[in-house]
Amino acid sequence: MDGRRRNPFELTDDSPVYVISVAAQLSGLHPQTLRQYDRLGLVSPDRTAGRGRRYSARDIELLRTVQQLSQDEGINLAGIKRIIELENQVAALQQRVAELAAAVDGAAAAMQQREAQVHASYRRDLVPYQPPQQSALVVWRPKRPQD
């Protein structure tokens, strides 16, 4: 899914639906750990009007990733934050490359269409050149000045 909602009641991976206690349970972390990750900018859940945190399924997956990198790989939180930033940057760049590739494809198609229009506009009432039926060889020799 691309995260966009087709109707207001359809839930996506980016829909903020989980309160902090449910998000903590789903991610296997303590709620205080989720608050700390939010303060550090590792995982930034949406907020309600009353400032309560609401986590999405994508946030839960990111929490699990942070935990795995921290516990299993031994990476500190600053390193994890940098990894997340770089992964987000790569994803944004990949999206931009896809957009540019689509633009190039569109420009190429437009160019081919314009080229076809130019070829179609050629005058057809002109008589095409036809080489002569017989061929002859003519040798030209300049006159020599008289001594």
Side-chain angles (χ1 to χ4, degrees):
M1 288 191 183
D2 60 6
R4 289 179 282 158
R5 296 180 191 177
R6 285 181 273 274
N7 71 54
F9 303 108
E10 183 178 344
L11 295 178
T12 67
D13 287 345
D14 292 320
S15 300
V17 294
Y18 302 109
V19 295
I20 194 166
S21 60
V22 174
Q25 187 176 19
L26 290 173
S27 64
L29 301 170
H30 193 275
Q32 194 60 34
T33 304
L34 273 61
R35 290 184 189 93
Q36 181 179 358
Y37 287 175
D38 186 12
R39 278 192 299 276
L40 294 172
L42 291 171
V43 179
S44 299
D46 284 357
R47 298 288 183 147
T48 64
R51 301 290 298 149
R53 292 173 175 88
R54 290 294 184 269
Y55 292 86
S56 67
R58 194 172 311 278
D59 293 332
I60 302 295
E61 186 60 36
L62 185 55
L63 288 167
R64 290 177 182 154
T65 301
V66 169
Q67 181 69 3
Q68 186 264 333
L69 288 171
S70 176
Q71 297 297 315
D72 299 343
E73 305 296 329
I75 300 172
N76 65 22
L77 296 180
I80 293 171
K81 183 175 181 178
R82 185 67 180 140
I83 289 169
I84 292 169
E85 289 169 352
L86 290 172
E87 286 179 345
N88 290 339
Q89 186 178 13
V90 166
L93 290 171
Q94 288 173 333
Q95 176 64 31
R96 184 66 178 140
V97 166
E99 291 168 2
L100 291 173
V104 166
D105 290 343
M111 183 183 70
Q112 288 174 348
Q113 182 180 9
R114 285 193 299 270
E115 184 179 322
Q117 289 172 345
V118 167
H119 288 299
S121 71
Y122 291 159
R123 290 182 56 185
R124 304 284 185 221
D125 59 339
L126 299 176
V127 178
Y129 170 76
Q130 293 180 0
Q133 297 291 337
Q134 299 175 6
S135 61
L137 177 63
V138 177
V139 178
W140 178 78
R141 292 192 182 134
K143 290 183 180 182
R144 292 187 177 173
Q146 301 291 330
D147 290 323

